[in-house]
Each structure stands twice: as C-alpha cells, then as structure tokens.
Amino acid sequence: MNVAKLLPIVKRDRWLEPFASIIEGRHNDLLRRLDEFTIGGKRKLSDFANAYNYYGLHRTESGWIFREWAPGATAIYLIGTFNDWTISPQYSLISVGNGNWEISLPANAIKHLDLYKIRVEWSGGWGDRIPAYATMVVQDPDTYIFSAKVWEPEEQYVFKKPKIRPRKSPLLIYECHVGMAQQKEAVGTYEEFRTNVLPRVAEAGYNAIQLMAIQEHPYYGSFGYHVSSFYAPSSRFGTPHDLMRLIDDAHSRGIAVILDIVHSHAVKNEVEGLGRFDGSPSLYFHSGARREHPAWDSLCFDYGKPQVINFLLSNCKYWMEKFHFDGFRFDGVTSMIYYNHGLGQNFTSYNDYYNGNQDTDALVYLSLANILIHELNPHAITIAEEMSGLPGLASKVKDGGIGFDYRMAMGIPDYWIKVIKELKDEDWKPGAIFWELTNRRADEKTISYAESHDQALVGDKTIIFRLIDSDMYWHMMVDDNALLVERGIALHKIIRLVTASTINGGYLNFMGNEFGHPEWIDFPSQANNWSYKYARRQWDLVDRTDLKYKYLAEFDNQMIHLLSSIKNFEALPIVKLCDNNDDQILAYNRGDYLFIFNFNPVKSFVDYGILAPEGKYDIVLDSDDSIFGGRGNIDHNVEYFTQYDRIFASDGKGWLNVYMPARSALVLRKQP
C-alpha cells in the first residue's frame, strides 16, 4: 500500500487502511459529482443550488411566473381562490422540456395571500398537489385541508442585523421547539418565542438556538420530522416574516440560529407532500423496497438523482439566504448513510462500517451539502445527528471526510440513562464516566449533551424525572427536605457539569431541562384527546421563588457563563488527575481550571488530596452552594494552595487538599 497516496483521514487512523479503497472510491464519486455540478469548476456549487429561484411561484415585473418539475405529468393546472379552485385554460401550464412545466400570468391573475395548489394529471389518473417549492402552506381550521398560500407582500422584511459570525468557542446550544415553548396549552408562535423565550436564552448564556419543526409538516405530533413542504416555514407558528424577525432578534443578542433540517426522509402524504407528486412513486424517492422507511413510516430520498440533489442543496441555500440561518443540524444521518438505515445493527468494529452497507450516494450528498453551506458562509455550523460513529463524518472534505463541523455525541445520554437505571449510587464509577465522556476521535469535534428532546418524549424520562419521579409533584418546595429530591437535584447538577466540562466542541440542552422541567413531552393526539397539557413549557415553575427549580436554573446559568468565559475552552487539553473508583472521586484540569467531582452518595472527604499543577486556587463554582439548593458546606473564602512534594515537584505538581461533600462538584481556578 502506498502510504503517501492515502487520504489524510486514513493516515490519521491506521485502522482505516484496510478500507482505504472504499473511502477513496467514495471520495472520487464526490469529486465527479462536484465536477458535474460546477461544470468542471467554471461555476460555484452555490450557482447550481438555485432551484428555488427557478421553480415555484415568483412575482415578476409584469406579473407572475410559476414552474414545477413533474416529468410524469401529462397536464398541470394552477387552481386556487383566484379561480374558485376550477380548471381553466388561463391557468394551464406548458411543458418546456426535461420534465419542467411553467406558466406566466398577468399581475391581476394572482394576489398576495391567495390560496393555491396544482392539479396534476398523468396517464391513468390525477391529483391535487401542493407545489414542491411552496414557501408558505396553511391548514384550514375547519376542513383541516392544507393549501399553499401566496406570500409576496409589497414590503419584504429587511433584516436589521447583518449576518453574524457564530461564536463556536465553545458552542453552547439551546434546543427549542417554537410551538411548545409557551406556557399556554396551545401552539406557540414565532413572535411569542421571540419576546418570551429569547430573553431567557440570552440571560442563561447560551450562544446558539437550535430550532426544531420549522419545515412544514402536516402532523404536529411528528415533532417536525415528517416534512411535507421543505421550503415553507411552518405557518402554525406564524408568517415567514415572523420567523425572520425572530432570527434577526436572536442575532442582535449575539445568538446564532441553527435549523434542525430534515433531509433524511419525507412524509408519505401525497396531497400535502411529495409522494406520487406526478403520479410516479419514485420522482424524488427510491422505487421498490427502498422507497419506504421500515421504521419511520416515511419515504426515502434517492440521493443518486441530480434533481433530488438539486432540490435538497437548494433547500440548504434557501434557508441560509432567505432567513439568515447560521447552519444546520442534519437529522437522521445514520438512516441516510446505510442501506439498512442502521436498524438492528451494532457498530462494534470498522468492518461494520465498510461491509457493503454504505449508501455512497447519501454520503456524497452530505459532503456536497457541507461544501455548499461553508461556501455560502465559511463560519456556518453543521452538525450530524449520527449514532453509528462512522469515521470521518466530522472531518474535512479535502481530507476524505464528509465535512461536518460536529457530530452529536449520542452515546452520552444513552450512557447516563443506563447508569441511572441500572446502577446503585455506590456503584457509579468515575473512571467509566470519564472514559465515556472523553472517548472520541481526536480529529472530530462533537456536541456533548446529557439529554435532548429525545429523552423527554412520552414513553421515556428526563434525567430529573428518572432521579426524582413522582416526588416532583409533592416535594419541590424550598422548605421541603425530602431526601429523594435532594439526591436528584445534587446528581442533576453534577451530571450536567461533568458532561459540559469535558466537551471538545459544544454542549446542548433542550429547553426547560436546565431547570429540571417535570414530566414528559406528549403532543396532542387522539390518544390524549388532543390535549396540549404536556406540549408546552411551564416557565412559571422556574420563576417561582418558593420552588426548587430555581436552584437548578441558577446552577446551569453559572455553569454556562463560566464555560463561555474561558477562551477556547473546548480546545483545552483534558488532563485526568484522579479517578478513584473506591472513593468515587474524579478530578481533571483544563488549562487553569480544576474540576473535582465526588459521586459518593454518603461519604464527604476532608482534605482529599489531588495531585495538581502547583499554585494557588480559588473557588469559581460549587454545586453544594446554597444558592443552588445545596447545603453550603464549603467556605468560599478559603484559598487553596498546593503542598510541595519532592517526588512530583520536578513535574510542577503538588498536593491540593480539598473538602468534598458527598454528591458534589467543585471548580477551582489557578491564580496567575
């Protein structure tokens, strides 16, 4: 094997050498596609990703033009409120070749806020469809029927804040769902989120929000993951301008906005979505057995088709250019990149990645998407939600990787669930915890999190609910000393701190989890009599001074602000100083900061010795502080000095003796 010719990701990881030809083959496929779409480098990829400027409905100087791609159609008509939903020659599209249809109309033929669809006829049938590039889709409150809506106001929204350069050092993400972000038992709006929730996010210190369920979806209870109209921001939350204003406001606060984008599959609906759009089952999707996702009841895109790649790449550009999103969290990447969608497979060796199960077309699309996104904005953020651990996913494209900036560390929340469910408190092993939180490829950055929205869904439990359970209903008053609640609050704080302080890229929290939001998320459905009781956030719980939720919120606030204040925190080496499984003590330092954890449920340690870099230290965060609901056993006026030890002095280390209460964490800062 000629090592000099190996791609950099293979050179960095010699375990990949047996699969070098597969990786190189996929990389060459990417280069061929890139050459095709850029016409041999004569144009940018962003010039190719312009489908939304061609297809769909557009106002022109003289009127309107509408175009659609539907090669299986024999006739297409615009129908809507402007012609009483009837077929008429005036609104008949003309076939212009290559499966494209178009129509030009005078200015008075259509107006702003008109409802419309297209009537598509094909050999042996017909159907009413919502245009694939519709930019606004609404549901009739009486009939529940969805229609496209003309959104061409005379005054377009003008962003007040120029595009920002997202702060990534470290990236601190607040994962949000606009509709359930409100206190009321109803669907919240973009405007309510902007005025009520954004100030909370800014005050909490997070520098990015990740918006879920933005792309239009017919079923609210899908959490936004069964998308029907990829270019339409969900109208159940408000207008496109309302979303723009939300993003603009976030930018004015220095908060980046990430879109949770769904390109891994599409809703099966035919009237609302892309299924059998022109009568063909495989216009945008695979045919045969690969068409339907076996677990998600959805349709799988065929990433080998240039038109599909154009549709999806243009979608990325659309959200960035029109709405000023700062990047994307790509959902369901594992499902995209394996023929079996990763279902029922344990990825325990490199052979499991390269056993003929990879969908090269999907990997090529994801690389193209990353190239495009960073071409449009070199500072953009791309995150892969991927659970198999595919090597190179978050490595640079030029090195042979897929090009994501980060990958979600999906094993961490699973690990915390396993620990809480299966181990007694006295069996928590700091060594295992540290290994799980830091076990990652050195050349890939990750987003660590203790829990996201996934762990809050009905049928599962959040960390706080696993720890406290029904006692949350009766013992969260500040003057109530229930032991189970005290335990839960203590562990909730240290689980979050140890997770956030070991990041090598970013940290994510789902809204409300920072203060231990009770219960689960359950969207309205027939099963719960269409109730919104659990599809909301009870902000009053954290605002009340007589409840203990305020303690968790205050701890999260100070933790996030601390990490944010440390320059390049995520890049600082993590140096383990102690992992005593018998005492259940873990300690490590990052730069001038020393993190010490006592997971022991019953033992507090006086003058516990940690071999640390020589110097003087002071306390910057103490989970046992009374302002965080702790017992306040540590004196913050005490300064800590390392004690000389001639054996370790040559290494610049000495013994630091600290008092560590049971179930507590301490962060010390070394003084200059």
Side-chain angles (χ1 to χ4, degrees), residues 561-617:
H561 278 90
L562 172 62
L563 300 184
S564 182
S565 70
I566 304 172
K567 186 177 181 180
N568 297 323
F569 175 77
E570 77 290 351
L572 295 173
I574 305 173
V575 181
K576 183 169 65 175
L577 305 177
C578 173
D579 63 343
N580 189 317
N581 285 336
D582 292 332
D583 293 337
Q584 294 182 270
I585 296 288
L586 173 67
Y588 50 86
N589 76 296
R590 303 193 73 167
D592 293 329
Y593 291 83
L594 176 58
F595 298 84
I596 311 173
F597 298 85
N598 181 7
F599 291 95
N600 200 300
V602 293
K603 289 184 180 179
S604 297
F605 297 95
V606 178
D607 291 336
Y608 199 91
I610 305 291
L611 194 61
E614 287 183 331
K616 180 176 74 172
Y617 292 80

Short mmCIF file of all heavy atoms in Angstrom, two decimals, residues 561-617:
data_model
loop_
_atom_site.label_atom_id
_atom_site.label_comp_id
_atom_site.label_asym_id
_atom_site.label_seq_id
_atom_site.Cartn_x
_atom_site.Cartn_y
_atom_site.Cartn_z
N HIS A 561 -22.22 30.29 31.85
CA HIS A 561 -21.45 31.53 31.80
C HIS A 561 -19.97 31.27 32.10
O HIS A 561 -19.09 31.92 31.51
CB HIS A 561 -22.02 32.56 32.78
CG HIS A 561 -23.19 33.31 32.25
ND1 HIS A 561 -24.49 32.89 32.41
CD2 HIS A 561 -23.26 34.46 31.52
CE1 HIS A 561 -25.31 33.75 31.82
NE2 HIS A 561 -24.59 34.70 31.27
N LEU A 562 -19.69 30.34 33.00
CA LEU A 562 -18.29 30.01 33.29
C LEU A 562 -17.60 29.43 32.06
O LEU A 562 -16.52 29.89 31.67
CB LEU A 562 -18.22 29.02 34.45
CG LEU A 562 -16.83 28.43 34.74
CD1 LEU A 562 -15.86 29.53 35.15
CD2 LEU A 562 -16.91 27.34 35.80
N LEU A 563 -18.21 28.43 31.44
CA LEU A 563 -17.60 27.82 30.26
C LEU A 563 -17.44 28.83 29.14
O LEU A 563 -16.44 28.82 28.41
CB LEU A 563 -18.45 26.63 29.79
CG LEU A 563 -18.65 25.48 30.78
CD1 LEU A 563 -19.43 24.36 30.14
CD2 LEU A 563 -17.31 24.98 31.32
N SER A 564 -18.42 29.70 28.99
CA SER A 564 -18.37 30.71 27.94
C SER A 564 -17.26 31.72 28.16
O SER A 564 -16.73 32.30 27.21
CB SER A 564 -19.73 31.42 27.86
OG SER A 564 -19.75 32.37 26.82
N SER A 565 -16.89 31.93 29.43
CA SER A 565 -15.89 32.94 29.76
C SER A 565 -14.46 32.46 29.56
O SER A 565 -13.52 33.27 29.55
CB SER A 565 -16.05 33.39 31.21
OG SER A 565 -15.67 32.34 32.11
N ILE A 566 -14.27 31.16 29.38
CA ILE A 566 -12.92 30.60 29.26
C ILE A 566 -12.56 30.52 27.77
O ILE A 566 -13.20 29.80 27.01
CB ILE A 566 -12.85 29.20 29.90
CG1 ILE A 566 -13.29 29.27 31.37
CG2 ILE A 566 -11.43 28.65 29.80
CD1 ILE A 566 -13.43 27.90 32.03
N LYS A 567 -11.56 31.23 27.38
CA LYS A 567 -11.18 31.31 25.97
C LYS A 567 -10.78 29.94 25.43
O LYS A 567 -9.97 29.24 26.03
CB LYS A 567 -10.02 32.30 25.79
CG LYS A 567 -9.64 32.54 24.34
CD LYS A 567 -8.54 33.60 24.22
CE LYS A 567 -8.20 33.86 22.76
NZ LYS A 567 -7.12 34.88 22.63
N ASN A 568 -11.40 29.57 24.30
CA ASN A 568 -11.10 28.30 23.64
C ASN A 568 -11.21 27.11 24.59
O ASN A 568 -10.42 26.16 24.52
CB ASN A 568 -9.71 28.33 23.00
CG ASN A 568 -9.59 29.37 21.91
OD1 ASN A 568 -10.53 29.60 21.16
ND2 ASN A 568 -8.44 30.02 21.84
N PHE A 569 -12.21 27.16 25.45
CA PHE A 569 -12.35 26.12 26.47
C PHE A 569 -12.38 24.73 25.85
O PHE A 569 -11.73 23.80 26.34
CB PHE A 569 -13.61 26.36 27.30
CG PHE A 569 -13.88 25.27 28.29
CD1 PHE A 569 -13.17 25.20 29.47
CD2 PHE A 569 -14.84 24.28 28.04
CE1 PHE A 569 -13.40 24.18 30.39
CE2 PHE A 569 -15.07 23.26 28.94
CZ PHE A 569 -14.35 23.21 30.12
N GLU A 570 -13.16 24.58 24.76
CA GLU A 570 -13.36 23.26 24.18
C GLU A 570 -12.07 22.67 23.61
O GLU A 570 -11.98 21.46 23.39
CB GLU A 570 -14.44 23.31 23.09
CG GLU A 570 -14.00 23.92 21.77
CD GLU A 570 -13.75 25.41 21.82
OE1 GLU A 570 -14.07 26.06 22.83
OE2 GLU A 570 -13.23 25.95 20.83
N ALA A 571 -11.07 23.53 23.35
CA ALA A 571 -9.82 23.07 22.77
C ALA A 571 -8.75 22.79 23.82
O ALA A 571 -7.69 22.24 23.50
CB ALA A 571 -9.30 24.09 21.76
N LEU A 572 -9.00 23.18 25.07
CA LEU A 572 -8.01 22.95 26.12
C LEU A 572 -7.89 21.45 26.41
O LEU A 572 -8.90 20.75 26.53
CB LEU A 572 -8.42 23.68 27.40
CG LEU A 572 -8.44 25.22 27.34
CD1 LEU A 572 -9.03 25.79 28.63
CD2 LEU A 572 -7.03 25.76 27.10
N PRO A 573 -6.67 20.94 26.52
CA PRO A 573 -6.49 19.51 26.83
C PRO A 573 -7.15 19.15 28.16
O PRO A 573 -7.15 19.94 29.11
CB PRO A 573 -4.97 19.35 26.91
CG PRO A 573 -4.41 20.51 26.15
CD PRO A 573 -5.38 21.64 26.35
N ILE A 574 -7.73 17.96 28.20
CA ILE A 574 -8.32 17.43 29.43
C ILE A 574 -7.30 16.50 30.07
O ILE A 574 -6.97 15.46 29.49
CB ILE A 574 -9.63 16.68 29.16
CG1 ILE A 574 -10.62 17.57 28.40
CG2 ILE A 574 -10.26 16.19 30.46
CD1 ILE A 574 -11.87 16.83 27.95
N VAL A 575 -6.79 16.88 31.22
CA VAL A 575 -5.76 16.10 31.89
C VAL A 575 -6.35 15.46 33.14
O VAL A 575 -6.71 16.16 34.10
CB VAL A 575 -4.55 16.98 32.27
CG1 VAL A 575 -3.47 16.13 32.94
CG2 VAL A 575 -4.00 17.69 31.05
N LYS A 576 -6.50 14.15 33.10
CA LYS A 576 -7.07 13.46 34.26
C LYS A 576 -6.06 13.45 35.40
O LYS A 576 -4.90 13.09 35.24
CB LYS A 576 -7.45 12.03 33.89
CG LYS A 576 -8.12 11.25 35.01
CD LYS A 576 -8.73 9.95 34.53
CE LYS A 576 -7.69 8.98 34.03
NZ LYS A 576 -8.27 7.67 33.67
N LEU A 577 -6.53 13.85 36.59
CA LEU A 577 -5.68 13.91 37.76
C LEU A 577 -6.01 12.81 38.77
O LEU A 577 -5.15 12.37 39.52
CB LEU A 577 -5.81 15.28 38.45
CG LEU A 577 -5.54 16.51 37.56
CD1 LEU A 577 -5.78 17.78 38.35
CD2 LEU A 577 -4.11 16.47 37.02
N CYS A 578 -7.29 12.38 38.77
CA CYS A 578 -7.69 11.37 39.74
C CYS A 578 -8.99 10.72 39.27
O CYS A 578 -9.91 11.42 38.84
CB CYS A 578 -7.89 12.01 41.12
SG CYS A 578 -8.59 10.89 42.37
N ASP A 579 -9.06 9.39 39.34
CA ASP A 579 -10.34 8.68 39.14
C ASP A 579 -10.38 7.50 40.09
O ASP A 579 -10.25 6.35 39.70
CB ASP A 579 -10.55 8.27 37.69
CG ASP A 579 -9.51 7.28 37.19
OD1 ASP A 579 -8.46 7.16 37.84
OD2 ASP A 579 -9.75 6.61 36.17
N ASN A 580 -10.59 7.81 41.34
CA ASN A 580 -10.60 6.80 42.40
C ASN A 580 -11.99 6.18 42.48
O ASN A 580 -12.93 6.79 43.00
CB ASN A 580 -10.22 7.44 43.73
CG ASN A 580 -10.00 6.42 44.83
OD1 ASN A 580 -10.78 5.47 44.97
ND2 ASN A 580 -8.94 6.60 45.61
N ASN A 581 -12.13 4.99 41.93
CA ASN A 581 -13.44 4.34 41.89
C ASN A 581 -13.93 3.92 43.27
O ASN A 581 -15.14 3.84 43.51
CB ASN A 581 -13.41 3.13 40.97
CG ASN A 581 -13.40 3.52 39.50
OD1 ASN A 581 -13.86 4.60 39.14
ND2 ASN A 581 -12.90 2.64 38.66
N ASP A 582 -13.01 3.63 44.18
CA ASP A 582 -13.42 3.25 45.53
C ASP A 582 -14.03 4.43 46.28
O ASP A 582 -15.07 4.30 46.92
CB ASP A 582 -12.22 2.69 46.30
CG ASP A 582 -11.75 1.35 45.74
OD1 ASP A 582 -12.59 0.63 45.18
OD2 ASP A 582 -10.55 1.05 45.85
N ASP A 583 -13.37 5.58 46.19
CA ASP A 583 -13.90 6.78 46.84
C ASP A 583 -14.96 7.47 45.99
O ASP A 583 -15.68 8.33 46.48
CB ASP A 583 -12.77 7.77 47.13
CG ASP A 583 -11.79 7.25 48.17
OD1 ASP A 583 -12.20 6.38 48.97
OD2 ASP A 583 -10.64 7.72 48.19
N GLN A 584 -14.99 7.13 44.71
CA GLN A 584 -15.90 7.74 43.72
C GLN A 584 -15.56 9.22 43.49
O GLN A 584 -16.42 10.07 43.36
CB GLN A 584 -17.36 7.57 44.13
CG GLN A 584 -17.83 6.11 44.13
CD GLN A 584 -19.28 5.95 44.49
OE1 GLN A 584 -19.61 5.80 45.67
NE2 GLN A 584 -20.18 5.99 43.50
N ILE A 585 -14.27 9.48 43.41
CA ILE A 585 -13.76 10.83 43.17
C ILE A 585 -13.16 10.90 41.76
O ILE A 585 -12.42 10.02 41.34
CB ILE A 585 -12.67 11.23 44.19
CG1 ILE A 585 -13.25 11.29 45.60
CG2 ILE A 585 -12.02 12.56 43.81
CD1 ILE A 585 -14.15 12.48 45.85
N LEU A 586 -13.52 11.95 41.04
CA LEU A 586 -12.95 12.23 39.71
C LEU A 586 -12.43 13.64 39.70
O LEU A 586 -13.09 14.57 40.18
CB LEU A 586 -14.03 12.06 38.63
CG LEU A 586 -13.65 12.49 37.20
CD1 LEU A 586 -12.57 11.56 36.64
CD2 LEU A 586 -14.88 12.48 36.30
N ALA A 587 -11.23 13.83 39.13
CA ALA A 587 -10.66 15.18 39.02
C ALA A 587 -9.87 15.28 37.72
O ALA A 587 -9.18 14.34 37.32
CB ALA A 587 -9.78 15.50 40.21
N TYR A 588 -9.99 16.41 37.07
CA TYR A 588 -9.20 16.70 35.87
C TYR A 588 -9.06 18.21 35.74
O TYR A 588 -9.82 18.97 36.35
CB TYR A 588 -9.85 16.11 34.62
CG TYR A 588 -11.32 16.42 34.45
CD1 TYR A 588 -11.75 17.60 33.83
CD2 TYR A 588 -12.28 15.52 34.90
CE1 TYR A 588 -13.10 17.86 33.68
CE2 TYR A 588 -13.63 15.78 34.76
CZ TYR A 588 -14.04 16.95 34.15
OH TYR A 588 -15.37 17.23 34.01
N ASN A 589 -8.07 18.61 34.99
CA ASN A 589 -7.93 20.05 34.78
C ASN A 589 -7.91 20.36 33.29
O ASN A 589 -7.54 19.53 32.45
CB ASN A 589 -6.69 20.61 35.47
CG ASN A 589 -5.40 20.27 34.75
OD1 ASN A 589 -5.05 19.10 34.64
ND2 ASN A 589 -4.70 21.28 34.26
N ARG A 590 -8.36 21.56 32.97
CA ARG A 590 -8.32 22.10 31.62
C ARG A 590 -7.76 23.51 31.75
O ARG A 590 -8.42 24.41 32.29
CB ARG A 590 -9.71 22.13 30.98
CG ARG A 590 -10.40 20.79 30.93
CD ARG A 590 -11.62 20.80 30.02
NE ARG A 590 -11.23 20.82 28.60
CZ ARG A 590 -12.08 20.58 27.59
NH1 ARG A 590 -13.37 20.32 27.84
NH2 ARG A 590 -11.66 20.62 26.34
N GLY A 591 -6.54 23.71 31.27
CA GLY A 591 -5.90 25.00 31.44
C GLY A 591 -5.73 25.30 32.92
O GLY A 591 -5.20 24.49 33.68
N ASP A 592 -6.22 26.46 33.34
CA ASP A 592 -6.09 26.87 34.74
C ASP A 592 -7.25 26.41 35.60
O ASP A 592 -7.34 26.79 36.77
CB ASP A 592 -5.98 28.40 34.82
CG ASP A 592 -4.69 28.92 34.21
OD1 ASP A 592 -3.68 28.20 34.26
OD2 ASP A 592 -4.69 30.04 33.67
N TYR A 593 -8.14 25.60 35.05
CA TYR A 593 -9.35 25.21 35.77
C TYR A 593 -9.30 23.75 36.18
O TYR A 593 -8.96 22.87 35.38
CB TYR A 593 -10.59 25.50 34.92
CG TYR A 593 -10.83 26.97 34.75
CD1 TYR A 593 -10.15 27.69 33.78
CD2 TYR A 593 -11.71 27.66 35.59
CE1 TYR A 593 -10.35 29.06 33.63
CE2 TYR A 593 -11.92 29.03 35.44
CZ TYR A 593 -11.23 29.71 34.47
OH TYR A 593 -11.43 31.07 34.33
N LEU A 594 -9.65 23.52 37.43
CA LEU A 594 -9.63 22.20 38.02
C LEU A 594 -11.06 21.78 38.37
O LEU A 594 -11.76 22.50 39.09
CB LEU A 594 -8.76 22.20 39.27
CG LEU A 594 -8.66 20.93 40.11
CD1 LEU A 594 -8.15 19.77 39.29
CD2 LEU A 594 -7.75 21.17 41.32
N PHE A 595 -11.49 20.65 37.84
CA PHE A 595 -12.84 20.13 38.06
C PHE A 595 -12.75 18.89 38.95
O PHE A 595 -12.05 17.93 38.61
CB PHE A 595 -13.50 19.78 36.73
CG PHE A 595 -13.67 20.94 35.79
CD1 PHE A 595 -12.63 21.35 34.96
CD2 PHE A 595 -14.87 21.64 35.75
CE1 PHE A 595 -12.78 22.42 34.10
CE2 PHE A 595 -15.03 22.72 34.90
CZ PHE A 595 -13.98 23.12 34.07
N ILE A 596 -13.46 18.94 40.07
CA ILE A 596 -13.42 17.84 41.03
C ILE A 596 -14.86 17.38 41.31
O ILE A 596 -15.73 18.20 41.59
CB ILE A 596 -12.74 18.24 42.35
CG1 ILE A 596 -11.40 18.94 42.08
CG2 ILE A 596 -12.53 17.02 43.24
CD1 ILE A 596 -10.77 19.51 43.33
N PHE A 597 -15.09 16.07 41.26
CA PHE A 597 -16.43 15.51 41.47
C PHE A 597 -16.37 14.43 42.54
O PHE A 597 -15.49 13.57 42.50
CB PHE A 597 -16.97 14.90 40.17
CG PHE A 597 -17.13 15.89 39.06
CD1 PHE A 597 -16.04 16.20 38.23
CD2 PHE A 597 -18.34 16.52 38.82
CE1 PHE A 597 -16.18 17.11 37.20
CE2 PHE A 597 -18.48 17.43 37.80
CZ PHE A 597 -17.40 17.73 36.98
N ASN A 598 -17.31 14.48 43.44
CA ASN A 598 -17.49 13.41 44.42
C ASN A 598 -18.86 12.78 44.16
O ASN A 598 -19.90 13.34 44.51
CB ASN A 598 -17.42 13.95 45.85
CG ASN A 598 -17.59 12.85 46.89
OD1 ASN A 598 -17.63 11.66 46.54
ND2 ASN A 598 -17.68 13.22 48.16
N PHE A 599 -18.85 11.60 43.53
CA PHE A 599 -20.10 10.90 43.22
C PHE A 599 -20.56 10.04 44.40
O PHE A 599 -21.63 9.42 44.32
CB PHE A 599 -19.90 10.01 42.00
CG PHE A 599 -19.72 10.76 40.71
CD1 PHE A 599 -18.45 11.03 40.23
CD2 PHE A 599 -20.81 11.20 39.98
CE1 PHE A 599 -18.27 11.72 39.04
CE2 PHE A 599 -20.65 11.89 38.79
CZ PHE A 599 -19.38 12.16 38.32
N ASN A 600 -19.78 10.03 45.46
CA ASN A 600 -20.11 9.17 46.60
C ASN A 600 -21.40 9.63 47.26
O ASN A 600 -21.55 10.81 47.58
CB ASN A 600 -18.97 9.20 47.62
CG ASN A 600 -19.00 8.02 48.55
OD1 ASN A 600 -19.98 7.81 49.26
ND2 ASN A 600 -17.93 7.23 48.55
N PRO A 601 -22.37 8.71 47.45
CA PRO A 601 -23.66 9.13 48.00
C PRO A 601 -23.66 9.42 49.49
O PRO A 601 -24.57 10.08 50.00
CB PRO A 601 -24.57 7.93 47.69
CG PRO A 601 -23.64 6.76 47.66
CD PRO A 601 -22.35 7.28 47.08
N VAL A 602 -22.64 8.93 50.22
CA VAL A 602 -22.67 9.07 51.68
C VAL A 602 -21.40 9.68 52.27
O VAL A 602 -21.45 10.26 53.36
CB VAL A 602 -22.94 7.70 52.35
CG1 VAL A 602 -24.35 7.22 52.02
CG2 VAL A 602 -21.91 6.66 51.94
N LYS A 603 -20.29 9.56 51.58
CA LYS A 603 -19.02 9.99 52.16
C LYS A 603 -18.63 11.39 51.70
O LYS A 603 -18.53 11.66 50.51
CB LYS A 603 -17.90 9.02 51.78
CG LYS A 603 -17.99 7.67 52.46
CD LYS A 603 -16.77 6.81 52.10
CE LYS A 603 -16.84 5.45 52.77
NZ LYS A 603 -15.68 4.60 52.39
N SER A 604 -18.39 12.24 52.68
CA SER A 604 -17.74 13.53 52.42
C SER A 604 -16.29 13.37 52.83
O SER A 604 -15.97 12.68 53.80
CB SER A 604 -18.41 14.64 53.22
OG SER A 604 -19.75 14.81 52.82
N PHE A 605 -15.39 14.02 52.10
CA PHE A 605 -13.96 13.85 52.35
C PHE A 605 -13.34 15.18 52.77
O PHE A 605 -13.52 16.21 52.11
CB PHE A 605 -13.26 13.33 51.10
CG PHE A 605 -13.72 11.97 50.66
CD1 PHE A 605 -14.71 11.82 49.71
CD2 PHE A 605 -13.17 10.83 51.24
CE1 PHE A 605 -15.14 10.57 49.31
CE2 PHE A 605 -13.60 9.56 50.85
CZ PHE A 605 -14.58 9.43 49.88
N VAL A 606 -12.62 15.13 53.87
CA VAL A 606 -11.89 16.31 54.36
C VAL A 606 -10.45 16.21 53.89
O VAL A 606 -9.82 15.15 54.01
CB VAL A 606 -11.95 16.38 55.90
CG1 VAL A 606 -11.15 17.58 56.40
CG2 VAL A 606 -13.39 16.47 56.36
N ASP A 607 -9.93 17.30 53.33
CA ASP A 607 -8.54 17.35 52.87
C ASP A 607 -8.21 16.22 51.90
O ASP A 607 -7.19 15.53 52.03
CB ASP A 607 -7.57 17.29 54.06
CG ASP A 607 -7.63 18.55 54.90
OD1 ASP A 607 -8.04 19.60 54.36
OD2 ASP A 607 -7.28 18.50 56.09
N TYR A 608 -9.11 16.02 50.93
CA TYR A 608 -8.86 14.99 49.92
C TYR A 608 -7.73 15.46 49.01
O TYR A 608 -7.77 16.57 48.47
CB TYR A 608 -10.11 14.72 49.09
CG TYR A 608 -10.05 13.40 48.37
CD1 TYR A 608 -10.55 12.24 48.96
CD2 TYR A 608 -9.46 13.29 47.11
CE1 TYR A 608 -10.48 11.01 48.31
CE2 TYR A 608 -9.40 12.08 46.45
CZ TYR A 608 -9.90 10.94 47.06
OH TYR A 608 -9.83 9.72 46.43
N GLY A 609 -6.72 14.62 48.84
CA GLY A 609 -5.53 15.03 48.10
C GLY A 609 -5.65 14.81 46.60
O GLY A 609 -5.91 13.69 46.15
N ILE A 610 -5.49 15.89 45.83
CA ILE A 610 -5.47 15.84 44.37
C ILE A 610 -4.11 16.33 43.91
O ILE A 610 -3.68 17.43 44.27
CB ILE A 610 -6.57 16.73 43.75
CG1 ILE A 610 -7.95 16.35 44.30
CG2 ILE A 610 -6.52 16.64 42.23
CD1 ILE A 610 -8.45 15.02 43.86
N LEU A 611 -3.40 15.53 43.16
CA LEU A 611 -2.10 15.93 42.62
C LEU A 611 -2.36 16.85 41.43
O LEU A 611 -2.80 16.41 40.36
CB LEU A 611 -1.30 14.71 42.21
CG LEU A 611 0.20 14.93 41.93
CD1 LEU A 611 0.91 15.45 43.17
CD2 LEU A 611 0.84 13.63 41.45
N ALA A 612 -2.09 18.15 41.63
CA ALA A 612 -2.48 19.16 40.65
C ALA A 612 -1.30 20.08 40.34
O ALA A 612 -0.31 20.11 41.08
CB ALA A 612 -3.64 19.98 41.19
N PRO A 613 -1.36 20.83 39.24
CA PRO A 613 -0.31 21.81 38.95
C PRO A 613 -0.11 22.77 40.12
O PRO A 613 -1.08 23.23 40.73
CB PRO A 613 -0.85 22.54 37.71
CG PRO A 613 -1.73 21.54 37.04
CD PRO A 613 -2.37 20.78 38.16
N GLU A 614 1.14 23.03 40.45
CA GLU A 614 1.47 23.86 41.61
C GLU A 614 0.87 25.26 41.47
O GLU A 614 0.83 25.84 40.39
CB GLU A 614 2.98 23.98 41.77
CG GLU A 614 3.65 22.73 42.28
CD GLU A 614 5.14 22.91 42.50
OE1 GLU A 614 5.74 23.74 41.78
OE2 GLU A 614 5.69 22.25 43.38
N GLY A 615 0.41 25.79 42.61
CA GLY A 615 -0.08 27.15 42.61
C GLY A 615 -1.17 27.37 43.63
O GLY A 615 -1.47 26.52 44.46
N LYS A 616 -1.77 28.57 43.54
CA LYS A 616 -2.87 28.94 44.43
C LYS A 616 -4.17 28.88 43.64
O LYS A 616 -4.24 29.33 42.50
CB LYS A 616 -2.65 30.35 44.97
CG LYS A 616 -3.74 30.84 45.91
CD LYS A 616 -3.42 32.21 46.50
CE LYS A 616 -3.59 33.30 45.46
NZ LYS A 616 -3.48 34.65 46.06
N TYR A 617 -5.22 28.36 44.26
CA TYR A 617 -6.51 28.18 43.60
C TYR A 617 -7.61 28.86 44.40
O TYR A 617 -7.53 28.94 45.64
CB TYR A 617 -6.85 26.69 43.47
CG TYR A 617 -5.97 25.92 42.51
CD1 TYR A 617 -4.71 25.48 42.90
CD2 TYR A 617 -6.41 25.61 41.23
CE1 TYR A 617 -3.89 24.75 42.03
CE2 TYR A 617 -5.61 24.88 40.35
CZ TYR A 617 -4.36 24.46 40.76
OH TYR A 617 -3.56 23.74 39.90
#
